[in-house]
Amino acid sequence: MTTPSEPGDSRLDPGLNAIMSERRQLINLAYRLLGSLADAEDVVQETYARWYAMSRQRQEAIESPGAWLTKVASRICLDLLGSARARRERYVGEWIPEPLPDRTEWISGRPDGATADPADRITLDESVNMAFLVVLESMTPAERVAFILHDVFRYPFAEVAEIVGRTPVACRQLASSARRRVRESQPPATPAARRAGIVRDFKEAWEAKDIEALIGLLAPDATGIGDGGGLVSAVLRPVEGDEQIARALVDIADKAPGLAILERTVNGQPGLVAQQDGVTVVVMAFDIAGDRIKHIWAVRNPEKLRPWTAS
């Protein structure tokens, strides 16, 4: 008589490697759908819990375990997105998607190059930059799921329809609507090297408390948004206008002597991290149009900074 194997013991369960190999894909999918690494981890755990709650016979009857896991994870995300509006209304201040560091910046230094941080499973590309994730937040749950599954993960609309509970034609229309939102929100791309240079100039101007230099780097209609989640102090409303943002940044520098500002990759794009006494207290992502910064997203909520502070 055999007993069910434990997760991670592939010697007892030859099919376990195939099942667990889907974990990276599921984390990538759930993060893009939810904008939260913590929620993505919970979704994947729940997905695997449902898999292991089934009998071995039911598992073996599933022709494509990977497709089954994706369908379950997507439906869980869809349910969470449906209740997200109410949760956002209770959130203190502005809600910004959880920022992710570059993979090489969160490796813990273990000799085998491994890390226990699930963020290691996120593949960074254009579909996780902060501007893209913010646009996703403006979509309906069905739009977001249909768009991400089809345009990012290349699932055919017939499979998307099973997950979303709409017809393939309806899912095509949902993805088209979402695609149009993304296209309309994105300015012409600024070359990566130029983006990095602008962020570096911004960092130096901030350190120097040079208001005029900061204004010169910001678009006249620039917007700065902070996310403290009610756990730390943060401006609850967006700051609009180049001069207003510049003065707010200098005020922050005046009130936080010793603040160390570091250049880091944030969601695959040049960004900044501010540390106080070696502790990350804010992660900043930027949206750059031409040679000016159009949006700044500053995440201060410590619950969203776990990948940046884990040792």
Side-chain angles (χ1 to χ4, degrees):
M1 181 175 178
T2 60
T3 58
S5 61
E6 293 295 325
D9 192 351
S10 57
R11 294 173 301 174
L12 297 180
D13 184 354
L16 183 59
N17 281 336
I19 295 298
M20 295 309 295
S21 69
E22 297 292 330
R23 185 174 179 83
R24 180 188 179 111
Q25 172 90 342
L26 297 175
I27 287 282
N28 272 284
L29 173 64
Y31 174 74
R32 285 163 174 79
L33 289 177
L34 302 174
S36 166
L37 180 60
D39 287 347
E41 293 173 45
D42 290 343
V43 165
V44 174
Q45 289 179 358
E46 173 63 20
T47 300
Y48 277 105
R50 294 186 186 185
W51 172 265
Y52 285 105
M54 295 190 297
S55 66
R56 178 62 63 88
Q57 290 74 21
R58 288 187 63 192
Q59 292 174 358
E60 292 175 348
I62 294 173
E63 183 176 349
S64 174
W68 185 93
L69 292 167
T70 296
K71 182 182 295 185
V72 170
S74 298
R75 285 176 173 169
I76 295 172
C77 288
L78 189 61
D79 289 342
L80 288 175
L81 287 169
S83 62
R85 187 177 301 276
R87 289 187 288 122
R88 298 283 196 276
E89 289 175 353
R90 295 192 300 270
Y91 195 81
V92 178
E94 299 287 328
W95 189 93
I96 298 174
E98 185 176 338
L100 290 179
D102 182 80
R103 181 182 186 277
T104 58
E105 293 168 4
W106 69 58
I107 292 296
S108 62
R110 290 161 57 177
D112 59 359
T115 175
D117 195 325
D120 187 41
R121 302 186 182 95
I122 297 290
T123 301
L124 296 176
D125 59 26
E126 289 298 318
S127 68
V128 293
N129 73 54
M130 191 62 73
F132 184 88
L133 292 175
V134 169
V135 175
L136 292 181
E137 287 296 313
S138 69
M139 299 178 185
T140 67
E143 277 181 327
R144 188 166 182 167
V145 173
F147 174 67
I148 291 295
L149 283 172
H150 180 266
D151 282 43
V152 178
F153 289 90
R154 304 302 179 188
Y155 279 84
F157 283 118
E159 293 183 25
V160 175
E162 291 184 23
I163 293 169
V164 179
R166 310 278 184 95
T167 66
V169 171
C171 289
R172 186 182 298 275
Q173 292 173 339
L174 288 169
S176 177
S177 173
R179 200 177 302 122
R180 185 169 56 253
R181 289 181 190 238
V182 172
R183 186 169 56 247
E184 291 173 350
S185 71
Q186 292 185 331
T190 300
R194 182 62 187 138
R195 289 199 303 268
I198 292 170
V199 171
R200 183 173 298 114
D201 292 343
F202 178 90
K203 168 185 177 292
E204 293 173 355
W206 189 12
E207 290 174 326
K209 304 180 185 179
D210 188 336
I211 290 179
E212 292 304 317
L214 287 168
I215 290 174
L217 292 164
L218 293 161
D221 59 348
T223 301
I225 299 176
D227 178 348
L231 300 177
V232 295
S233 62
V235 178
L236 297 182
R237 296 183 182 86
V239 179
E240 298 180 347
D242 50 4
E243 183 175 349
Q244 289 80 359
I245 294 173
R247 294 191 180 282
L249 288 165
V250 171
D251 185 56
I252 290 170
D254 285 337
K255 292 179 178 178
L259 192 69
I261 306 170
L262 310 172
E263 294 178 51
R264 291 289 185 267
T265 299
V266 180
N267 286 66
Q269 302 281 345
L272 296 176
V273 168
Q275 295 183 341
Q276 192 80 49
D277 299 324
V279 177
T280 296
V281 293
V282 62
V283 173
M284 301 177 74
F286 299 85
D287 185 24
I288 297 172
D291 289 334
R292 297 292 184 97
I293 297 169
K294 192 165 182 63
H295 294 98
I296 301 174
W297 295 283
V299 179
R300 295 206 61 211
N301 184 340
E303 293 183 351
K304 295 184 179 182
L305 300 181
R306 292 178 306 124
W308 301 85
T309 57
S311 59

